[in-house]
């Protein structure tokens, strides 16, 4: 399972990329707004900077609600950077936009997926990846990870090539469980990436090694 960073914060992306474990980045209007980005020009500048840092797909979300608007935005986003994945929502208008853009060879990250039915529709429309939102399902008392497993199983049975991109990940256990469920990609906030590094026994082990080394006179 590949790891993407789920952020529009350039410093987090630089720091995450240095670890050498990040294969892509996902952004959305909320993440962009949290960085003070409030228009398409600002979004484009940030996305270009991200694309210079990370050599992999960068997901950029449309903000139109109608299919024609999404298609126009998607075509524009596709020219911004070498490896864009246009994020289109799992709506009636969204599926129409996905099928149009996918037929033109534009890569699609089908976002806001909350059911296996939506994932099945997206695959037929031509989504490159589908993003089930785990944390937001957990928030309403539904086991988000079950949706990841369900989509992975259905895609396997029918040999569907759309990738399952586990999104709305809130902690490191979500990421591990998505890997066990067979997700192809998990997009994680920087905070979760740091959680994945941490283990108290690693810290204690390092402290003991240094203590012993220093005791032997190696300062
Ligand atoms: C995915 O691409 C989305 O940007 C993201 O995972 C949304 O997660 P949230 O529920 O933490 O906002």
């Amino acid at each position: 399972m590949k790891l993407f960073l789920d952020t529009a914060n350039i410093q987090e992306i630089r720091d995450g990329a240095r670890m050498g474990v990040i294969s892509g980045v996902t952004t959305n209007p909320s993440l962009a707004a949290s960085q003070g980005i409030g228009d398409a020009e600002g979004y484009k500048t940030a996305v270009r900077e991200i694309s210079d840092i990370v050599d992999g797909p960068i997901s950029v979300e449309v903000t139109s609600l109608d299919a024609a608007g999404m298609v126009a935005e998607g075509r524009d986003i596709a020219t911004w950077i070498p490896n864009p994945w246009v994020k289109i929502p799992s709506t009636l208008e969204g599926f129409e936009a996905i099928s149009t853009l996918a037929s033109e060879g534009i890569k699609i990250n089908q976002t806001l997926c909350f059911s296996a039915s939506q994932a099945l529709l997206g695959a037929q429309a031509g989504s490159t990846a589908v993003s089930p939102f785990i944390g937001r399902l957990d928030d309403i008392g539904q086991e988000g990870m079950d949706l990841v497993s369900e989509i992975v199983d259905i895609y396997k049975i029918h040999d569907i090539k759309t990738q399952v991109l586990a999104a709305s990940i809130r902690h490191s256990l979500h990421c591990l469980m998505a890997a066990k469920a067979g997700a192809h990609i998990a997009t994680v906030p920087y905070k979760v990436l740091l959680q994945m590094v941490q283990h108290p026994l690693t810290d204690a082990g390092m402290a003991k090694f240094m203590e012993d080394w220093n005791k032997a006179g190696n300062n």
Side-chain angles (χ1 to χ4, degrees):
M1 184 181 76
K2 288 184 177 168
L3 287 178
F4 286 7
L5 262 186
D6 195 25
T7 180
N9 181 302
I10 302 291
Q11 194 53 51
E12 289 183 350
I13 293 167
R14 282 192 202 290
D15 293 343
R18 273 204 309 276
M19 282 175 66
V21 299
I22 297 303
S23 308
V25 173
T26 50
T27 66
N28 65 39
S30 303
L31 292 171
S34 76
Q35 300 307 306
I37 298 161
D39 58 22
E41 248 348 272
Y43 201 6
K44 189 201 283 194
T45 305
V47 164
R48 285 188 165 154
E49 203 171 345
I50 294 168
S51 173
D52 285 343
I53 302 167
V54 175
D55 182 21
I58 313 299
S59 290
V60 184
E61 189 153 345
V62 298
T63 52
S64 298
L65 299 178
D66 62 306
M70 290 181 201
V71 167
E73 274 189 73
R75 285 178 182 146
D76 182 37
I77 289 167
T79 66
W80 292 3
I81 52 174
N83 197 355
W85 281 11
V86 178
K87 271 176 109 174
I88 306 273
S90 307
T91 60
L92 190 64
E93 297 288 319
F95 290 119
E96 186 181 330
I98 290 169
S99 63
T100 303
L101 292 168
S103 72
E104 296 172 10
I106 293 172
K107 302 259 175 70
I108 305 296
N109 173 354
Q110 179 196 333
T111 190
L112 290 169
C113 174
F114 293 100
S115 76
S117 301
Q118 291 176 329
L120 197 53
L121 292 173
Q124 301 313 308
S127 297
T128 309
V130 64
S131 292
F133 273 42
I134 300 169
R136 293 194 197 186
L137 280 171
D138 288 357
D139 289 346
I140 60 159
Q142 196 180 322
E143 179 56 79
M145 205 55 67
D146 287 351
L147 177 59
V148 175
S149 305
E150 209 181 352
I151 299 171
V152 167
D153 289 348
I154 292 171
Y155 282 5
K156 251 188 212 146
I157 291 168
H158 298 283
D159 197 24
I160 288 170
K161 301 297 176 216
T162 303
Q163 298 181 62
V164 180
L165 196 172
S168 187
I169 284 193
R170 301 276 164 79
H171 45 72
S172 56
L173 186 59
H174 267 159
C175 192
L176 278 190
M177 293 183 67
K180 285 187 186 174
H184 303 88
I185 305 162
T187 188
V188 300
Y190 184 63
K191 172 188 90 173
V192 173
L193 184 67
L194 293 185
Q195 279 175 10
M196 292 171 76
V197 174
Q198 291 305 320
H199 197 287
L201 290 181
T202 304
D203 295 342
M206 283 304 296
K208 177 75 174 126
F209 285 154
M210 289 307 106
E211 186 190 324
D212 292 345
W213 183 248
N214 292 336
K215 258 192 226 154
N218 298 296
N219 287 313

